[in-house]
Amino acid sequence: MDKQPHLYDQMNDRAREVFRRIVEGYLETGEPVGSRTLTRTFSEQISAATIRNVMQDLEFLGLLNSPHVSAGRIPTELGLRMFVDGVLEVDSLGREDRDALDRTVNDGDVGTILDRIGGALSGMTQGASLVLAPKQSAPIKHIEFVSLAPDRALVVLVFADGEVENRVFTPPPGQTPSSMREAANFLNTVAEGRTLDSLQSAVAAEIEKRRREIDSLAAEMVESGLVTWSQEGSRHERLIVRGRSNLLEKTEEADLDRIKTLFDDLERKRDIAEFLELAEEGQGVRIFIGSENKLFSLSGSSLVVSPYMNADRKVIGAVGVIGPTRLNYGRIVPIVNYTAELVGRALTDRT
């Protein structure tokens, strides 16, 4: 990666200009750019044969690729990386985009704000947005179980800071309203004042200590509810995905299965740790193109991601946009950067 800007510096002015115009044309249209098209855009008289020679040289360097015989050229992942590192001009964040993002944090609890942020990011970038919510560390105030059906129940978790978490889960067979009340009463005596991080071990110890004091169904209910909270995707860490359809609509049919696999993995929250790791590896916005990105490489997509921090400058979550490699990087980078700063400030103000 370090060699790519150096390679760009070694190219002559004509090669740089041809390279830049091919990448910009591809990012705008998604189509290969041919020598005849480039000839018409140059102010100076340059023959199509001369431009073809330059394109061949760039292809030899691994920066361009020809998807079809006798077709124009498109940038390779290496070429896109060089463009992003050495050529890309990042736009200023537009007032309309800034105002739209600002409105998402006007009111509401943390979960509502992050959901709004995800929707706004997806809408303005026409990609899929990813928002990794912070771990919930506020003390627990109250717990309640609500029966929805014989095989479905709702757990309501109220935190001392006013946050409320509702999750549907499958209770053990044979639960009754009275066993649910008993389980909730038991949990409330143990959970009040504790965070989720410390609750599970405390409850396990209490269940062992007081197992004879509660009937077996209530004990199973307690354990089942705790499993729900400790699973990936609970308040411990939550990945919010918005705009899945945006990415699917812009993807070639041959790649749809891979894209669907990507989102299935995201929805199962398998790669949350890796997502945050990508964001934490460096401050500010980072761009991962295709196979550079160990999280999304199978989909052939690009990820623009930035961590957000609390008042102590500690990374507590991340926001990002995923889309095809021909993303409008110049526009999306400032959007992701501002969003990360906005979320960090908003969450700090609410703690």
Side-chain angles (χ1 to χ4, degrees):
M1 200 174 293
D2 294 337
K3 295 180 180 178
Q4 291 155 26
H6 178 61
L7 177 62
Y8 181 76
D9 292 339
Q10 290 184 331
M11 292 161 56
N12 61 37
D13 290 343
R14 179 172 294 170
R16 290 182 190 175
E17 188 64 14
V18 169
F19 173 73
R20 182 184 66 80
R21 293 188 185 212
I22 288 175
V23 176
E24 289 179 346
Y26 170 73
L27 293 179
E28 181 178 352
T29 67
E31 299 294 330
V33 179
S35 57
R36 293 182 181 276
T37 301
L38 290 175
T39 302
R40 291 193 295 268
T41 64
F42 274 88
S43 56
E44 57 180 305
Q45 285 293 106
I46 303 177
S47 68
T50 298
I51 290 180
R52 280 196 295 272
N53 288 334
V54 174
M55 293 166 70
Q56 288 172 357
D57 291 340
L58 294 172
E59 189 170 3
F60 177 77
L61 292 173
L63 302 176
L64 300 181
N65 186 27
S66 180
H68 306 291
V69 177
S70 301
R73 303 302 197 280
I74 63 173
T76 61
E77 288 183 7
L78 179 68
L80 284 173
R81 169 49 60 190
M82 193 178 80
F83 178 83
V84 165
D85 289 346
V87 186
L88 177 66
E89 296 181 2
V90 176
D91 301 332
S92 299
L93 183 65
R95 174 57 63 87
E96 185 177 342
D97 289 337
R98 184 186 295 268
D99 290 346
L101 290 168
D102 286 343
R103 286 193 293 271
T104 65
V105 299
N106 284 343
D107 53 59
D109 57 27
V110 172
T112 300
I113 288 172
L114 293 179
D115 282 339
R116 285 200 211 114
I117 284 287
L121 268 180
S122 172
M124 65 180 57
T125 64
Q126 293 302 295
S129 66
L130 309 174
V131 180
L132 181 61
K135 293 181 180 180
Q136 175 58 261
S137 58
I140 296 166
K141 184 177 181 181
H142 183 72
I143 296 169
E144 186 174 348
F145 293 109
V146 179
S147 178
L148 302 176
D151 61 344
R152 294 173 70 232
L154 179 73
V155 58
V156 182
L157 193 60
V158 182
F159 294 90
D161 61 359
E163 288 289 303
V164 178
E165 172 75 7
N166 299 321
R167 289 191 67 82
V168 175
F169 70 103
T170 301
Q175 290 301 312
T176 64
S178 62
S179 69
M180 288 190 179
R181 283 194 300 272
E182 189 171 352
N185 291 339
F186 168 71
L187 277 177
N188 282 315
T189 63
V190 180
E192 188 170 4
R194 295 182 182 273
T195 64
L196 277 175
D197 289 337
S198 63
L199 174 59
Q200 191 161 11
S201 58
V203 168
E206 283 294 321
I207 288 177
E208 184 62 29
K209 177 181 175 183
R210 297 176 54 191
R211 188 173 291 275
R212 295 181 182 178
E213 299 177 32
I214 57 178
D215 68 45
S216 60
L217 287 178
E220 290 179 22
M221 184 73 180
V222 168
E223 291 168 346
S224 178
L226 284 173
V227 168
T228 297
W229 298 328
S230 63
Q231 284 172 342
E232 295 176 50
S234 71
R235 290 296 288 204
H236 281 259
E237 281 179 340
R238 188 164 63 108
L239 188 60
I240 303 168
V241 182
R242 294 287 181 270
R244 170 175 172 162
S245 60
N246 288 337
L247 189 54
L248 295 180
E249 288 170 1
K250 298 177 181 178
T251 305
E252 297 294 332
E253 187 172 351
D255 293 328
L256 280 180
D257 287 342
R258 290 189 295 170
I259 295 289
K260 289 174 181 176
T261 298
L262 159 68
F263 277 100
D264 287 342
D265 285 345
L266 282 175
E267 288 168 1
R268 286 193 293 268
K269 314 301 187 286
R270 288 179 177 175
D271 295 309
I272 287 179
E274 289 192 35
F275 177 63
L276 186 55
E277 181 184 336
L278 290 177
E280 287 182 312
E281 286 174 356
Q283 291 191 9
V285 178
R286 304 197 69 206
I287 299 173
F288 298 89
I289 299 171
S291 59
E292 296 175 353
N293 182 348
K294 59 186 176 181
L295 182 54
F296 300 122
S297 59
L298 288 179
S299 71
S301 300
S302 287
L303 169 69
V304 182
V305 60
S306 178
Y308 58 86
M309 305 177 185
N310 60 15
D312 298 324
R313 304 300 295 169
K314 178 183 177 182
V315 173
I316 57 173
V319 296
V321 172
I322 181 173
T325 53
R326 63 179 189 88
L327 279 173
N328 184 345
Y329 298 99
R331 178 169 181 264
I332 290 176
V333 166
I335 288 176
V336 171
N337 183 58
Y338 183 74
T339 301
E341 295 175 355
L342 187 67
V343 172
R345 291 196 303 268
L347 299 194
T348 298
D349 291 343
R350 283 163 174 76
T351 57

